[in-house]
Every structure is written in structure tokens, then in C-alpha cells.
Amino acid sequence: MILDHFKLDGKVALVTGCKRGIGKGMAVALAEAGADIIGVSATLEAGSAVEKEVQALGRKFTGYTCDFGDRAALHTFINQVKSDIPQIDILVNNAGTILRAPAADHSDEFWDKVIEVNLNAQFVLSRELGKEMVKRGSGKIIFTASLLTFQGGINVPGYAASKGGIGQLTMALSNEWAGQGVQVNAIAPGYIATDNTRALQDDEERSSAILERIPAGRLGTPDDFAGPVVFLASSASDYMTGHTMVVDGGWMGR
């Protein structure tokens, strides 16, 4: 039956940036589909909301903290999680940051931090967990891309560069691993009501202009990513790889 292909019973999914927003929504959705969750964020207290929601669904939740801007901390986390939980079936690379400044004032520190968190760390994590998936002959890797995978944005050159890189990395890894049973895809959110878009939401003029362009007539919510992430994490998407799925209320169609 077709719905059986969307079930994730017995699978383990690692979700970065799981504490709130889109990452939390995706972690809970994967748990609803049957997966146990490894959650990691820069700060993640015991008894977090995401932990409680996953456990309420009868699924296991194992939490870690990691600063993805610290390469040594990232490797320490990877070694620890691989030791604790040897088989990770699904990797959701959602952790990210955004720093806003016009290009002429966008400092080295802004650029380096955004690229490290949004692109470098995601490659390292995908490489280290992906190689194990390749050995097993199965696995799913899902990146969180952005509308700025396709567009340049305003006052966020580092963010735009990092998300453009995510689109290319998705295809590069897919080209190498698709024939070995590992599918690599990305989800590009449109304008979503989360902390990352708070500055835009608080800017009445820009917020109005954005809403006028979205055919759906509203900002997205984390719940809008439940279906896409479960699809890409499940066997229902086994012949879909190297693709960036846009979830934007129709923005890119305008």
C-alpha cells in the first residue's frame, strides 16, 4: 500500500537545529512517521519542548548540543554520536544562522561564521555520516536550503552564498552516492514565521511587500514541512535525488 512507503518505523533520524522552528517541526514529523530522533542544537536543555513532543509520540529522543561554528566541537560531536548510535538512517541538515549587513559592511567575522555554520559544518557532517550510509547501501540526507539558493537577497551576502552552496552540495553528493543507495535532497523554505525572519516580520513595509507577492497569501509555518520531510526521508522518494524542493506558498512561481 502506498502509505506504507511513508512509514519510518525502525529508522533513526538525526536532525540539527531541532530546538525550534522548522527543525523542531521536522523532528516531530519524522517521529510521527515512526522514527526515533537524535536532536542537536547549539543549546538544547534536558526536557526541551521537542524532546517532550517526540517522547509523547512513543519515540526515543536523544539530545546533544554542538556549536556548528566550532570545527573541533563538530568533530567531537560526530565521534560521540557515532559511538552512541552506530546506525543513523536519516540526516536532516537544518542548523543555520543568518547575519545581516550590507555587502560593503559585511565583516570577515560575519562571512566566516555564516559560511562555517551553514555550509562547512553541513559538508563535514554529511561526509562523516554519509560514508557510513554508503557502506550500508542505504540512507537519506536532507538539507535545508532557501529561496536564496536561487536568489541573491538583500543585506545577507554570506547567507546567500552559503545557501547557494547548499544547492550545489546537494547535487554533488547525489551524483556520487545515488548509485550506492543514498538519496540526497534539499528543502528550500520560502518566508516562514520563525526567529530567522523576525526582522522582516517586524518591518511593516517589507512584510507587506512580501505577503503581496506570495500567492498563498500567508507566511509559512513549521507544520508546512512535515509532509515534505517525511516524503524525502522515506522509501516513497527512493528515485528522487539531487533535487531542491521549494516550499514557498508559490513565491518562486511569480
Side-chain angles (χ1 to χ4, degrees), residues 10 95 100 111 128-129 133 137-138 149 161 164 170 184 209 214 227 238 242:
R100 301 177 186 275
W111 178 272
E128 295 305 308
L129 298 185
M133 296 178 180
S138 66
T149 300
T170 297
V184 184
I214 300 173
D238 278 355

Side-chain angles (χ1 to χ4, degrees), residues 26 28 46 62 87 89 105 110 124-125 142 204 213 224 239:
M26 292 195 291
V28 172
T62 307
Q87 181 163 327
D89 305 290
D105 301 316
F110 271 28
V124 172
L125 188 55
I142 303 162
E204 187 174 339
R213 177 172 165 167
D224 291 313
Y239 198 61

Side-chain angles (χ1 to χ4, degrees), residues 44-251:
L44 187 66
E45 66 280 1
S48 64
V50 63
E51 178 178 352
K52 290 177 180 177
E53 290 186 39
V54 168
Q55 291 177 339
L57 293 165
R59 309 313 310 164
K60 295 178 183 177
F61 182 90
T62 307
Y64 296 86
T65 59
C66 181
D67 177 1
F68 288 98
D70 181 335
R71 188 73 61 89
L74 175 61
H75 279 288
T76 297
F77 161 68
I78 291 170
N79 291 335
Q80 186 64 57
V81 76
K82 288 174 71 174
S83 174
D84 293 345
I85 306 170
Q87 181 163 327
I88 296 169
D89 305 290
I90 302 155
L91 169 61
V92 180
N93 279 306
N94 173 72
T97 191
I98 187 167
L99 295 172
R100 301 177 186 275
D105 301 316
H106 206 78
S107 67
D108 289 358
E109 290 76 19
F110 271 28
W111 178 272
D112 290 345
K113 181 174 182 179
V114 171
I115 295 296
E116 187 65 30
V117 172
N118 291 8
L119 186 57
N120 294 346
Q122 299 200 28
F123 169 69
V124 172
L125 188 55
S126 298
R127 181 189 67 204
E128 295 305 308
L129 298 185
K131 67 175 66 175
E132 303 302 326
M133 296 178 180
V134 168
K135 289 178 185 177
R136 292 195 304 271
S138 66
K140 301 280 186 174
I141 296 176
I142 303 162
F143 291 97
T144 297
S146 168
L147 293 182
L148 300 195
T149 300
F150 311 99
Q151 301 175 326
I154 299 171
N155 295 334
V156 286
Y159 185 82
S162 71
K163 292 302 185 177
I166 287 297
Q168 295 301 115
L169 182 58
T170 297
M171 293 185 287
L173 296 181
S174 174
N175 289 344
E176 294 192 31
W177 294 347
Q180 300 176 73
V182 179
Q183 291 82 49
V184 184
N185 292 289
I187 299 172
Y191 286 94
I192 312 301
T194 64
D195 292 345
N196 264 8
T197 59
R198 175 52 55 194
L200 295 178
Q201 294 178 65
D202 292 342
D203 183 328
E204 187 174 339
E205 184 176 345
R206 284 208 67 197
S207 180
S208 177
I210 287 168
L211 284 172
E212 286 176 4
R213 177 172 165 167
I214 300 173
R218 66 171 177 87
L219 296 182
T221 71
D223 289 343
D224 291 313
F225 297 86
V229 77
V230 169
F231 170 61
L232 292 178
S234 71
S235 64
S237 63
D238 278 355
Y239 198 61
M240 183 172 178
T241 190
H243 178 67
T244 297
M245 177 190 292
V246 179
V247 181
D248 67 347
W251 173 279

